[in-house]
Amino acid sequence: MTGEEFKTVRTNAGLSLRELGELLRVSDLRSLQRWEDGTKEVSGPVSVLMKLLRDGVWPVA
């Protein structure tokens, strides 16, 4: 998953970086920012969760 795809999924879900961090249980917001800007590769497990979010399988409540 590219940084652009990561950001698109987040924004389409209507989540801020902080909200996405809480959902993914990632407390380091800099990691989220780096994933979005492409300076850090999105880890495998996070990539899978983001794809589930994108596909509506993991709804945000």
Side-chain angles (χ1 to χ4, degrees), residues 15-33:
L15 298 170
S16 68
L17 276 176
R18 183 172 305 283
E19 291 168 331
L20 180 61
E22 290 173 6
L23 186 65
L24 296 174
R25 298 189 177 157
V26 175
S27 60
D28 182 10
L29 293 182
R30 288 191 326 168
S31 288
L32 295 169
Q33 291 168 332

Side-chain angles (χ1 to χ4, degrees), residues 1-22:
M1 170 170 283
T2 68
E4 185 176 320
E5 291 169 326
F6 186 91
K7 184 173 184 174
T8 298
V9 171
R10 177 183 67 78
T11 57
N12 286 348
L15 298 170
S16 68
L17 276 176
R18 183 172 305 283
E19 291 168 331
L20 180 61
E22 290 173 6

